[in-house]
Amino acid sequence: MKFLIFTCSLVFIYFNHFVSKNLRAENPKSHELNKRLFRLLKLVKFAPVIAFFILIVLVSITLHTKPGIRLSHAWFVSQFWAYSTLLYSIYKITKNKLSLVFVLLSIIIAIYNTPLFHYEHLFLGHSVIVSDIFGTLLFLSMWLTVSKMNTYYSTLRA
């Protein structure tokens, strides 16, 4: 199961790279989109970091058991929740139906991994470090995609 999740993560990264490279080829009328969507994209860009810092505070103040696994869990799962929003936004901008499939897949992975015991069952030992690496790769891919989308569409709206 963890290899399937890691494979989905790589597919999401590739899809983001594909979308950010093909922005100009996609929907030419997308510059008329609502400004709220682009504000949402800016929020999605920072949401995993905000969730991670909130959990750092919670772990240091109240949740003293298993701090490493809790922080790793929060980082990894928050990426999938953020990706579901990002991929839905990509659908709204580009009208690419494949992104809706990825939205559903991202939500399923996020829901499955949200309980800490599911995450602990899947990721033991060194695979926790691998999940942190994949979480970081997902975050960097999302950050670059959102930055490119906001830059491209802000120049169209101006």
Side-chain angles (χ1 to χ4, degrees), residues 13-120:
I13 291 169
Y14 176 75
F15 184 72
N16 280 344
H17 178 71
F18 175 76
V19 166
S20 64
K21 279 192 150 233
N22 295 324
L23 284 176
R24 293 187 177 111
E26 297 292 338
N27 188 3
K29 293 187 177 186
S30 58
H31 65 278
E32 299 170 0
L33 287 172
N34 198 336
K35 291 183 180 182
R36 291 185 314 181
L37 185 63
F38 293 102
R39 284 191 212 128
L40 176 68
L41 283 174
K42 288 179 184 178
L43 177 68
V44 165
K45 193 160 96 170
F46 293 104
V49 176
I50 293 168
F52 185 70
F53 283 124
I54 288 171
L55 199 67
I56 285 175
V57 170
L58 285 174
V59 165
S60 63
I61 293 174
T62 59
L63 306 170
H64 297 293
T65 60
K66 307 178 203 173
I69 196 81
R70 286 183 189 274
L71 293 176
S72 176
H73 169 254
W75 179 247
F76 191 65
V77 173
S78 68
Q79 300 309 317
F80 287 102
W81 285 116
Y83 260 78
S84 61
T85 307
L86 171 68
L87 292 168
Y88 181 72
S89 299
I90 287 173
Y91 167 73
K92 293 296 280 184
I93 292 170
T94 64
K95 303 298 184 206
N96 186 344
K97 303 257 191 237
L98 183 60
S99 61
L100 285 178
V101 173
F102 291 151
V103 167
L104 182 64
L105 187 61
S106 179
I107 289 173
I108 289 170
I109 292 171
I111 288 172
Y112 180 77
N113 281 326
T114 294
L116 185 61
F117 65 89
H118 280 178
Y119 182 82
E120 285 179 315

Side-chain angles (χ1 to χ4, degrees), residues 24 150-158:
R24 293 187 177 111
N150 279 330
T151 302
Y152 176 69
Y153 289 112
S154 66
T155 58
L156 282 179
R157 286 188 313 223

